[in-house]
Amino acid sequence: MNVRIDEQLRAEGNQAFEEVGWSPSQATRALWGYAARNQRNPRKLKEIQRILEDRPSLAGEQPQPSEAALRGPQIIRDFRKKHGLPEPDPSDMASYEELRQEALYERYRERGLL
């Protein structure tokens, strides 16, 4: 198999694979093996395609979802403070199990099972 790859990309990729103990040939065989094992499952192939084609945003640095998630509670507190909204009473909040149960009931109602 002959593949044309930019020299800088090849060097960076080789270095990355070396750090995890793979040769370029091993990486190629792993990708082809994955494709062969999942040839009847296009969803799996699309999933790996999406992962492999992921590129940095051209619009500049975007916060990672985990960073945004970590800032989420502070964003909500700032919003409440800015608009004069009171902090919720934790005793009035539903537990995870209560929310999960309600979501299941809602799904059953939508499907006409309740």
Side-chain angles (χ1 to χ4, degrees), residues 2-97:
N2 292 318
V3 180
R4 292 188 183 119
I5 299 176
D6 175 77
E7 285 301 318
Q8 183 178 353
L9 178 60
R10 179 188 307 257
E12 290 174 3
N14 287 348
Q15 182 180 358
F17 285 129
E18 186 177 309
E19 289 178 17
V20 297
W22 268 8
S23 69
S25 294
Q26 287 172 306
T28 303
R29 281 192 295 274
L31 178 59
W32 255 248
Y34 185 88
R37 286 189 309 276
N38 291 286
Q39 64 183 323
R40 297 189 197 286
N41 189 346
R43 175 180 273 170
K44 293 288 263 186
L45 294 176
K46 285 288 188 185
E47 178 182 328
I48 197 75
Q49 180 185 28
R50 181 187 56 78
I51 291 168
L52 292 173
E53 290 180 348
D54 188 17
R55 293 185 175 88
S57 171
L58 298 176
E61 282 295 313
Q62 296 293 322
Q64 296 298 315
S66 59
E67 293 174 29
L70 292 173
R71 288 193 338 259
Q74 186 60 47
I75 292 168
I76 292 170
R77 281 191 293 277
D78 292 347
F79 178 86
R80 287 181 185 283
K81 185 176 179 180
K82 179 179 178 180
H83 296 284
L85 299 171
E87 287 290 326
D89 182 358
S91 65
D92 292 338
M93 298 171 126
S95 69
Y96 171 80
E97 188 57 38

Side-chain angles (χ1 to χ4, degrees), residues 96-107 109:
Y96 171 80
E97 188 57 38
E98 291 169 324
L99 292 171
R100 184 177 174 277
Q101 195 69 31
E102 183 59 35
L104 286 172
Y105 286 142
E106 184 177 328
R107 185 178 299 164
R109 282 190 295 272

